Amino acid sequence: QSVLTQPPSVSGAPGQRVTISCTGSSSDIGAGYDVHWYQQLPGTAPKLLIYGYTYRPSGVPDRFSGSKSGTSASLAITGLQAEDEADYYCQSYDSSLSDYVFGTGTKVTVL
Amino acid sequence: QLQLQESGPGLVKSSETLSLTCTVSGGSISGSSFYWGWIRQPPGKGLEWIGSVYYSGTFYKQSLKSRLTISLDTSKNQFSLKLSSVTAADTAVYYCARQYYYGSGSYILPSFDYWGQGILVTVSS
């Protein structure tokens, strides 16, 4: 039921760069609404990783960065580390549903 | 450091009402700066926003609106969730979280910046 589409999985070797896309529509990202990103380590609650497309909360390494292009947003992880293995979710607002919406989620695997 | 903790029954019978409470410590839930929300995650699946409450109102996921009540208890620094007529599809880990606006503007959204650890609620037949 999510309106924000993410790839189910991405993988990379330690030190590499991976990107996760979050594709929306004209009623959410395309309408100009914010996108936030969350990291969920196995068996734990989600943690805010990026807010307002590009801002990092205190304590989040600068290896994590966000961007926007049209009706999509992206999360990039550079210098991939074993501790980055987790599920990642984008989040925005859908004006046609009047709901906050999460992306479908992406599992990052460190090879 | 702000902390949130969910509490409530871990097992609810089908057709009954699921009731959860989120206790906030390390900060006040009063005031206009923050919203307080509930998010759930069915086993092995993704996140779903359920609804949020703030000092002057509530807003709910449209598809759950008819079954949902979220309220604030400022005297206890808690907020609560009630979901009626539950079915197996409501089985999930339920998280409470704070929503915070980092700026102002029509398209600025509050992010969920603090989360509880989550509580698994199973709906049994």
Side-chain angles (χ1 to χ4, degrees):
Chain A
Q1 60 183 4
S2 175
V3 297
L4 301 179
T5 303
Q6 300 179 229
S9 64
V10 298
S11 61
Q16 285 190 330
R17 179 178 186 269
V18 297
T19 60
I20 301 169
S21 59
C22 172
T23 303
S25 67
S26 58
S27 61
D28 41 68
I29 299 175
Y33 290 104
D34 255 346
V35 170
H36 310 309
W37 289 92
Y38 302 87
Q39 176 194 58
Q40 187 175 29
L41 297 170
T44 70
K47 166 192 167 184
L48 179 64
L49 196 65
I50 297 284
Y51 64 94
Y53 282 105
T54 61
Y55 301 102
R56 285 185 305 275
S58 175
V60 173
D62 59 7
R63 302 185 292 104
F64 295 92
S65 63
S67 62
K68 175 191 177 184
S69 178
T71 58
S72 295
S74 293
L75 173 71
I77 311 174
T78 56
L80 194 64
Q81 299 183 5
E83 66 204 52
D84 300 332
E85 198 159 273
D87 293 323
Y88 293 82
Y89 295 90
C90 58
Q91 181 240 318
S92 187
Y93 177 79
D94 188 295
S95 57
S96 66
L97 300 174
S98 297
D99 287 345
Y100 291 113
V101 289
F102 285 94
T104 49
T106 299
K107 182 175 182 58
V108 170
T109 301
V110 182
L111 301 172
Chain B
Q1 176 77 350
L2 193 74
Q3 292 186 320
L4 293 83
Q5 178 69 59
E6 305 87 352
S7 60
L11 188 63
V12 180
K13 291 185 178 179
S14 183
S15 79
E16 296 189 343
T17 296
L18 181 161
S19 296
L20 296 175
T21 296
C22 182
T23 301
V24 179
S25 58
S28 173
I29 66 169
S30 301
S32 58
S33 299
F34 308 111
Y35 290 16
W36 305 91
W38 290 95
I39 302 99
R40 69 181 180 181
Q41 185 172 34
K45 297 188 178 180
L47 301 170
E48 177 186 30
W49 171 74
I50 297 171
S52 300
V53 61
Y54 60 110
Y55 74 101
S56 62
T58 54
F59 49 106
Y60 301 146
K61 183 177 178 69
Q62 291 298 309
S63 62
L64 297 175
K65 197 172 183 179
S66 63
R67 300 194 289 133
L68 192 58
T69 302
I70 297 176
S71 59
L72 279 175
D73 186 341
T74 55
S75 67
K76 295 181 179 179
N77 224 38
Q78 296 175 335
F79 61 105
S80 64
L81 163 75
K82 293 187 187 299
L83 183 65
S84 64
S85 304
V86 296
T87 69
D90 296 309
T91 293
V93 174
Y94 285 75
Y95 296 100
C96 60
R98 188 182 80 169
Q99 284 180 275
Y100 174 66
Y101 274 98
Y102 68 94
S104 61
S106 300
Y107 298 95
I108 300 294
L109 302 176
S111 59
F112 296 99
D113 63 343
Y114 285 92
W115 295 66
Q117 65 184 26
I119 183 170
L120 173 62
V121 179
T122 302
V123 177
S124 68
S125 55

